[in-house]
Amino acid sequence: MTWIFAAMAVWSLLGLAPLAARSARRAGDFGIAVTLLGAALAAVPVVLTLAGRPPAAFSHPWAVPYGSLAFALDGLSAFFMVPLLLLTSLGAIFGWKYWQHEDGPIGPTWLFYNLLIASMVAVLCARNGVLFLVAWETMALVSFFLVTSHAGDVEVRKAGWIYLIATHLGSVFLLPMFVTLGQAGTSLDFDHLAAPGTLAPATAAIVFVLAVLGFGSKAGFLPMHVWLPEAHPAAPSPVSAVMSGVMIKLGIYGILRVLLLLGAPAAWWGWLLVGIGLASGVFGVLMALAQHDLKRLLAYSSVENIGIIAMGIGVGIIGLASGQTLVAILGFAGALWHVVNHALFKGLLFLGAGAIQHATGTRQLDRLGGLLKTMPRTGVAVLVGSAAISGLPPLNGFASEFAIFLGALVGATTPSRSGLAGLLVVAAGLALIGGLATACFAKAFGVVFLGVPRSDAVEGAHDPGAAMLWPLGILAGTCALLGLGAPLLLPALLPAISLLTGLPAAMASAQLHFLWRSLIAVEATILILAILFFALYAVRSRWLAARPVSRAVTWDCGFGGATARMQYSSAAFAMPLISAFSAVVASHGEVTGLSALFPREGSWSGHSGDIFKAALSRGFGALQRILRRFRRLQNGNLQVYVLYIALTMLVLLVWKLGI
Amino acid sequence: MPIALLHFALALVLSPMLLSLTHRTKAFFAGRQGAPWLQPYFELGRLLRKGAVFSTTTSWVFQVAPALGLAAAMAALTLLPFAGHRAIIAFPGDLLLFSGLLALWRFAAILAALDTGSSLEGMGASREAALSALGEPALILALGAIARQTGQLSLSGMLPALTVQTWNQAWPVLALLLVTLALVYLAENGRVPFDDPTTHLELTMIHEVMILDSSGPDLAFIEYAAALKLWILGALMAAILAPVSPLPEAPALLLALAGMAGVAIATGVTESVMARSRLNRLPKVLGTASILVAVALLLIQR
């Protein structure tokens, strides 16, 4: 644990250094040095733990009631640390140059960035309820300040408040959850909570539901996802990458941790997660498809991927509850793996969106186009990310979805357990989500990078400098590597999986071998695909080299007056699917100016609202009307507040001492 | 393995023949004589011998996509069992890779269409994306239902496990699955009622409009990949329609080929007796396909 403490000290104490820096450039130098130094320190125990070292633990009495200052690093924590350290480091390298062009001081941004890393590591290592909640709240507050970096913008402030409220609503459920667990045990230390499996089924169910609500609001489960599409676009790109790639995954971590604390799960917990996952996945990707703002699109796609992860955990729980360990292992393996994969490709895409915004000054899809010619390297990286997030072979997104799919298929074909046939829902859900994601990211990449520029924003765009390009390249390379080298990476999943399934490592490893064999066969097919592709491409290029090849305009039916604005827009591309799903995506367009028989100018504006956001804001409106009556108590008069304090203490004294 | 390779080669050689068979059927219904049997091969040969014209708008994506699409279709073919015999590659869960490779083919085709910056090709790409996003779950669900029925985890396990016996025991299930697969087959291959391959108006096309700017060997690759896709999805239907399981090698192969011919002729008959449907009705038709499988699954559960 010493390494982790050293890293946390670096991030939080040395993290103050950028505040003292004179220039933006110097602040960036300090900031990135702190991030990378801390990450290097923390990486040591993470690698050791994943390699099979027994978990490290630290416990010390402290003045805070209900337990001790307890930290530990086990297989599950270490596994989540991998994407955390990787993505925050790459985000810092990207931000190093990205933030230099900001107006206003960037010292605080760097401080909060490093504090965010420290608090996320603290969440992963905390082994005491109070400590966990403190770290959790620190993470929420620090990220709130990062989201509101551009607080001068009214939209950003609004997004910040939505985020703050959403995250605190989540915490409301976590407090009673820990209290319920602690009441059955001796203290709030995770080791002294109710022993796994000893809680009454009803109590365990309450704890689980509270965990799903509390952690789910951070992860972005439907319908608590509404903050994501607000906060992610508002935050600077490196922060969006870290929040979407890593921070929301801590909600997933929380659910898994609570599962460990609870012991043997009930089957309906799994079905609940499968249902939530399916709803989040389909709704998330449909809303992503409907967006015109690149970062909002990416934010909704995070809801989709969280849904896929939830389905994987659901499959795992169902497998555990029905005694099908292979199903459980495949489900958990796919879910954990997708956590890493989503961190990689979503981090890549958010940083790519940052590079695009940096180069063109806009995130509106319909103002972009043809960027592949002016930003070729960014384009290749974003193309890899788009294919990976669509779950296409041979990239990493396919590998993790394959594991979840295989788990569902194995469960559904188990002859004796007919109830598990319902797992085919997961298989079909993954296919639907995959198809919609392919449409969504083909649209995003196609509209931004292909065709011709739709506005003059694209003029003079160019690839960013090396410091911003390298993180994109590394992330794209890792996406490809984790797809092609998928079988080699299974051992890294083993410590976490053996914890989650309660199987000894040797047994879990033997079961994982089943997945390993399938993945080897996948890679063999990919090899055939690669050989065929290169052969076909070489033959065709050779033929064309010896033949007349000419260039002409794109076929326009002989019209001759085609303009860039006549290209298919993002709204037009998405229209058939959006109108097919009009029941869940409230999309409406407005045409103005086309009135007379020969109209000259017209305009169309489209908007896709989030039905859940509308419903929630109606709910909040009603709540506000009720609570308005209590406003009289909050009159802003200091003397009255002191009176409240005195009265409260008096009541407590009377109650406690029984006077 | 040698037999699997033979089947692979047969698919590569015979798949354009399916097109010919469909054309001839349509010609018969229309009272025409029809093109020569080898016409699709002549056309592929003609395109392969040509040079090419590329749009000035296009980038490397447009050049790479046709070869990638054809490679993906051929790789999917290595996973496809035929005539009751296992495929070149078979493993638990290979159906997802199978559908993933078809998705990769489609992703490449959509990007190539968007690369031209043409509104017509964008339109085709959008329609293709919409139809296939809805067709994919129907396909996976149908294959999953076969997996559930036969207790097998790979395509090479589940399709040969269907026998005449299965028809006797569970004919309503198989019939429903056949209808679903037929809808997916027609949609994915751009046939009537989803798309009319012989239409002459760009505004109404799906598949044909995506390749307006392709020419020469690239166009040949695209057309050939489309023929392979007819074979690939047709073989899934043929495996249900004509289960060959207990037969010895040679008669099994003949029966399977007859099944493929049956699918091609049925396509021609469908195109001759039906008009294409309105575009905005198509998502509902494909949604129905998924619901039919759901019904089939309930029947299996019974």
Side-chain angles (χ1 to χ4, degrees):
Chain A
M1 287 312 295
T2 327
W3 292 97
I4 299 275
F5 289 144
M8 286 207 268
V10 166
W11 284 319
S12 46
L13 298 178
L14 289 184
L16 292 168
L19 286 184
R22 296 244 177 93
S23 66
R25 175 180 285 266
R26 188 55 59 82
D29 292 347
F30 282 150
I32 190 176
V34 168
T35 311
L36 295 183
L37 177 64
L41 289 173
V44 176
V46 170
V47 171
L48 286 178
T49 307
L50 288 181
R53 187 188 72 168
F58 170 88
S59 178
H60 197 271
W62 62 343
V64 178
Y66 314 119
S68 54
L69 184 68
F71 286 99
L73 186 74
D74 60 3
L76 189 63
S77 306
F79 187 81
F80 276 81
M81 290 279 272
V82 175
L84 194 165
L85 295 177
L86 183 69
L87 198 58
T88 51
S89 302
L90 292 173
I93 298 175
F94 187 89
W96 184 46
K97 278 278 177 278
Y98 184 83
W99 273 317
Q100 268 182 18
H101 305 277
E102 297 278 296
D103 21 303
I106 61 163
T109 307
W110 276 105
L111 171 66
F112 290 133
Y113 188 82
N114 283 318
L115 279 179
L116 177 63
I117 306 176
S119 60
M120 290 195 295
V121 170
V123 166
L124 285 179
C125 295
R127 289 298 181 274
N128 172 284
V130 178
L131 183 62
F132 184 93
L133 285 177
V134 169
W136 187 260
E137 283 299 294
T138 313
M139 178 177 88
L141 281 178
V142 170
S143 52
F144 164 75
F145 288 118
L146 282 170
V147 167
T148 53
S149 296
H150 297 282
D153 187 344
V154 62
E155 286 297 314
V156 168
R157 285 203 300 277
K158 207 175 121 199
W161 291 126
I162 291 179
Y163 171 52
L164 197 65
I165 293 168
T167 185
H168 280 105
L169 277 182
S171 307
V172 165
F173 298 105
L174 295 185
L175 197 60
M177 181 198 83
F178 277 116
V179 170
T180 317
L181 274 171
Q183 269 179 339
T186 51
S187 80
L188 282 183
D189 286 354
F190 287 3
D191 292 340
H192 303 127
L193 296 171
T198 55
L199 281 181
T203 323
I206 291 172
V207 170
F208 179 75
V209 170
L210 285 173
V212 168
L213 287 170
F215 290 121
S217 74
K218 179 64 84 182
F221 286 173
L222 215 65
M224 291 97 80
H225 68 279
V226 289
W227 67 269
L228 274 107
E230 304 298 327
H232 287 336
S237 283
V239 175
S240 327
V242 169
M243 282 177 70
S244 183
V246 184
M247 197 187 75
I248 63 171
K249 304 300 166 28
L250 296 194
I252 298 294
Y253 165 80
I255 289 175
L256 291 175
R257 179 61 66 191
V258 169
L259 277 179
L260 282 184
L261 295 175
L262 284 176
W268 68 265
W269 301 1
W271 290 111
L272 178 70
L273 281 181
V274 164
I276 292 176
L278 195 61
S280 305
V282 174
F283 182 80
V285 70
L286 279 173
M287 285 305 289
L289 193 61
Q291 300 308 311
H292 310 309
D293 176 319
L294 186 52
K295 281 175 85 175
R296 273 182 88 90
L297 182 151
L298 292 176
Y300 270 114
S301 134
S302 291
V303 179
E304 168 220 331
N305 281 280
I306 284 290
I308 293 177
I309 296 171
M311 281 201 277
I313 300 177
V315 171
I317 293 178
I318 293 167
L320 273 188
S322 60
Q324 305 284 324
T325 46
L326 182 58
V327 177
I329 284 181
L330 290 170
F332 284 128
L336 285 172
W337 202 351
H338 203 72
V339 164
V340 175
N341 287 342
H342 180 244
L344 293 173
F345 45 63
K346 189 50 66 67
L348 166 60
L349 291 171
F350 264 120
L351 294 184
I356 293 165
Q357 192 177 6
H358 188 75
T360 63
T362 182
R363 298 190 310 249
Q364 295 300 317
L365 296 175
D366 289 333
R367 288 175 53 75
L368 297 166
L371 278 179
L372 193 59
K373 295 198 184 71
T374 45
M375 303 176 73
R377 293 173 184 188
T378 313
V380 172
V382 172
L383 178 58
V384 171
S386 305
I389 203 170
S390 308
L392 295 177
L395 297 162
N396 57 350
F398 176 77
S400 45
E401 288 182 30
F402 178 78
I404 299 175
F405 174 83
L406 194 55
L409 194 66
V410 170
T413 47
T414 312
S416 56
R417 296 275 182 167
S418 56
L420 293 189
L423 281 177
L424 279 181
V425 167
V426 173
L430 281 174
L432 178 62
I433 293 170
L436 292 171
T438 309
C440 175
F441 283 92
K443 164 192 120 159
F445 181 81
V447 170
V448 172
F449 281 97
L450 303 176
V452 289
R454 290 177 174 75
S455 76
D456 46 15
V458 179
E459 255 171 50
H462 54 83
D463 268 330
M468 282 163 73
L469 218 42
W470 269 106
L472 294 177
I474 293 174
L475 285 169
T478 324
C479 283
L481 204 67
L482 257 65
L484 296 173
L488 300 175
L489 292 153
L490 289 183
L493 292 168
L494 204 54
I497 288 188
S498 109
L499 267 179
L500 285 168
T501 52
L503 291 175
M507 266 178 78
S509 170
Q511 300 258 37
L512 260 187
H513 191 69
F514 178 76
L515 178 60
W516 182 83
R517 277 193 2 219
S518 276
L519 284 172
I520 289 283
V522 169
E523 303 310 334
T525 320
I526 298 299
L527 185 68
I528 294 179
L529 171 76
I531 294 172
L532 285 170
F533 165 67
F534 285 114
L536 287 169
Y537 188 71
V539 166
R540 158 229 184 256
S541 301
R542 221 171 131 176
W543 282 343
L544 285 184
R547 292 178 193 169
V549 173
S550 56
R551 292 245 161 203
V553 291
T554 297
W555 170 242
D556 53 5
C557 303
F559 175 52
T563 70
R565 292 296 302 276
M566 289 180 190
Q567 290 178 94
Y568 235 46
S569 67
S570 74
F573 188 90
M575 197 283 277
L577 278 170
I578 296 304
S579 65
F581 287 92
S582 54
V584 283
V585 184
S587 179
H588 39 82
E590 219 173 298
V591 182
T592 48
L594 299 182
S595 51
L597 276 177
F598 299 98
R600 289 188 157 249
E601 268 182 18
S603 69
W604 179 88
S605 66
H607 176 73
S608 302
D610 190 325
I611 49 173
F612 291 98
K613 195 182 160 198
L616 280 179
S617 71
R618 274 199 299 278
F620 273 104
L623 196 65
Q624 196 184 17
R625 279 193 291 284
I626 298 170
L627 293 181
R628 197 175 286 157
R629 297 189 195 140
F630 296 95
R631 208 174 267 174
R632 195 180 301 234
L633 295 173
Q634 289 274 17
N635 54 9
N637 196 336
L638 188 66
Q639 288 87 336
V640 179
Y641 289 154
V642 176
L643 179 66
Y644 289 160
I645 294 174
L647 283 176
T648 312
M649 290 181 66
L650 187 66
V651 171
L652 282 176
L653 269 177
V654 171
W655 180 43
K656 257 309 186 204
L657 301 179
I659 301 170
Chain B
M1 185 59 108
I3 296 176
L5 284 174
L6 174 75
H7 288 160
F8 184 74
L10 266 182
L12 292 185
V13 174
L14 289 182
S15 53
M17 207 55 175
L18 297 178
L19 277 172
S20 216
L21 208 52
T22 307
H23 288 165
R24 278 294 184 126
T25 313
K26 286 168 75 176
F28 171 77
F29 270 81
R32 288 183 283 117
Q33 191 187 354
W37 282 102
L38 294 181
Q39 189 61 32
Y41 298 90
F42 296 151
E43 285 180 10
L44 286 175
R46 176 175 56 89
L47 288 171
L48 283 176
R49 285 196 302 275
K50 283 195 168 192
V53 181
F54 293 109
S55 156
T56 44
T57 312
T58 56
S59 62
W60 58 266
V61 171
F62 191 77
Q63 315 245 345
V64 165
L68 183 60
L70 181 53
M74 287 164 83
L77 198 58
T78 62
L79 298 173
L80 185 76
F82 193 67
H85 203 279
R86 80 187 282 277
I88 298 176
I89 297 178
F91 57 92
D94 54 4
L95 44 161
L96 191 74
L97 183 59
F98 179 77
S99 116
L101 286 167
L102 294 182
L104 181 65
W105 176 82
R106 195 180 305 133
F107 189 69
I110 291 173
L111 288 190
L114 290 175
D115 201 15
T116 62
S118 149
S119 44
L120 298 171
E121 282 171 68
M123 192 181 289
S126 155
R127 290 169 183 171
E128 171 85 14
L131 287 189
S132 53
L134 296 169
E136 210 170 312
L139 177 66
I140 283 288
L141 209 48
L143 293 177
I146 301 177
R148 171 79 193 161
Q149 174 75 33
T150 58
Q152 296 286 332
L153 293 171
S154 77
L155 286 172
S156 293
M158 67 178 80
L159 291 180
L162 295 171
T163 57
V164 179
Q165 197 72 27
T166 329
W167 271 103
N168 278 337
Q169 285 168 354
W171 65 267
V173 175
L174 291 188
L176 284 170
L177 291 179
L178 204 54
V179 175
T180 304
L181 285 176
L183 288 172
V184 172
Y185 168 90
L186 293 173
E188 287 279 324
N189 288 311
R191 313 301 304 197
V192 172
F194 292 90
D195 185 13
D196 186 352
T198 56
T199 181
H200 291 289
L201 182 61
E202 284 94 338
L203 282 175
T204 61
M205 301 176 182
I206 300 178
H207 177 70
E208 302 302 315
V209 77
M210 287 174 73
I211 56 173
L212 281 177
D213 272 283
S214 303
S215 56
D218 283 346
L219 184 56
F221 283 2
I222 293 169
E223 298 288 8
Y224 185 51
L228 283 182
K229 207 171 169 188
L230 272 178
W231 182 278
I232 290 169
L233 291 171
L236 297 181
M237 287 162 69
I240 299 181
L241 200 61
V244 296
S245 172
L247 292 176
E249 296 284 355
L253 183 58
L254 284 179
L255 183 55
L257 288 176
M260 294 299 288
V263 171
I265 292 169
T267 313
V269 174
T270 317
E271 300 210 340
S272 305
V273 299
M274 271 182 97
R276 67 172 292 173
S277 172
R278 274 175 60 190
L279 273 168
N280 56 2
R281 288 222 185 106
L282 300 183
K284 285 171 198 155
V285 178
L286 278 174
T288 315
S290 292
I291 294 168
L292 288 180
V293 198
V295 175
L297 273 169
L298 291 178
L299 289 175
I300 296 177
Q301 279 314 97
R302 184 182 47 129

